[in-house]
Amino acid sequence: MDLKTYIRDVPDFPKKGIIFKDITPLLRAPEALEFTVDALARPFRNQKVTKVAAIESRGFIFGSCVARILEAGFIPIRKPGKLPWTTRRNEYQLEYGTDALEIHEDALSSQDRVLLIDDVLATGGTAAAASCLVRELGADLVGVAMVIELSFLHGRTKLNGIPVHSLITY
Ligand code: AMP
């Protein structure tokens, strides 16, 4: 299946100069959604993944479906102030300023083998910060999977050593 036909480019969203990769055409097509979650999970089927961690908010859509396929639990990684329990936080650099992600302190343990999911890998800062949180809790990070990789931004270099699985590359 050619998944690129289900991705809509929206120029200058959310700000001028950004070409936003809109996944909603893919989400509304049952055959494309099914294909996507199956393809995200496929390389990790025999890797004894115990938890799928996903990044707010579009990562959640795919992450929970992949967790079902891998018969794993689901762990939300969220923007600051959203998680109700005791959290661990990781701040990371944006082009201008900083952002942060949080995870519940009891979300993972050293017994866990984790697959991290998001919709888009751009500069890699978000996925790298989420990867640190997973590892800080002592879990084994098996890989990172995303629907879209913007390879011209070289996000992979920030994930050195972690297996990266993307379905569509621009
Ligand atoms: P980054 O930290 O630069 O890799 O950015 C990744 C995060 O920003 C992901 O959670 C994406 O949802 C979002 N993102 C970055 N660039 C785009 C884009 N061009 N289209 C859609 N989402 C994007």
Side-chain angles (χ1 to χ4, degrees):
M1 184 179 287
D2 184 7
L3 285 181
K4 271 191 184 173
T5 61
Y6 294 91
I7 305 297
R8 174 165 51 201
D9 281 1
V10 184
D12 299 325
F13 183 88
K15 52 184 177 189
K16 211 163 172 55
I18 305 275
I19 299 175
F20 191 84
K21 297 295 182 190
D22 178 17
I23 56 164
T24 60
L26 184 156
L27 296 176
R28 75 174 178 226
E31 69 284 1
L33 180 59
E34 174 74 17
F35 182 92
T36 298
V37 294
D38 185 68
L40 284 170
R42 190 164 291 272
F44 304 98
R45 276 182 187 272
N46 297 316
Q47 299 231 35
K48 297 187 168 65
V49 170
T50 60
K51 302 276 177 14
V52 171
I55 302 169
E56 180 175 2
S57 60
R58 288 180 299 275
F60 290 178
I61 301 167
F62 301 104
S64 58
C65 296
V66 171
R68 289 293 307 274
I69 293 172
L70 296 179
E71 297 179 28
F74 178 82
I75 305 298
I77 296 179
R78 301 204 63 179
K79 301 280 165 58
K82 303 277 189 177
L83 288 169
W85 191 244
T86 315
T87 56
R88 190 171 277 253
R89 175 187 291 217
N90 194 332
E91 287 191 4
Y92 58 100
Q93 294 294 318
L94 297 177
E95 196 178 353
Y96 300 103
T98 62
D99 211 340
L101 288 173
E102 293 183 347
I103 193 169
H104 272 158
E105 214 158 48
D106 62 357
L108 299 167
S109 76
S110 57
Q111 310 299 311
D112 282 309
R113 290 173 56 76
V114 178
L115 170 62
L116 182 66
I117 301 268
D118 203 0
D119 65 332
V120 174
L121 180 73
T123 65
T126 308
S131 300
C132 287
L133 288 173
V134 168
R135 286 175 159 167
E136 279 175 26
L137 294 182
D140 194 1
L141 184 59
V142 173
V144 181
M146 72 288 304
V147 183
I148 297 167
E149 178 179 2
L150 304 179
S151 60
F152 52 90
L153 294 174
H154 308 292
R156 272 180 194 243
T157 57
K158 288 215 181 77
L159 300 170
N160 41 348
I162 306 169
V164 176
H165 173 52
S166 61
L167 306 185
I168 307 172
T169 305
Y170 292 94

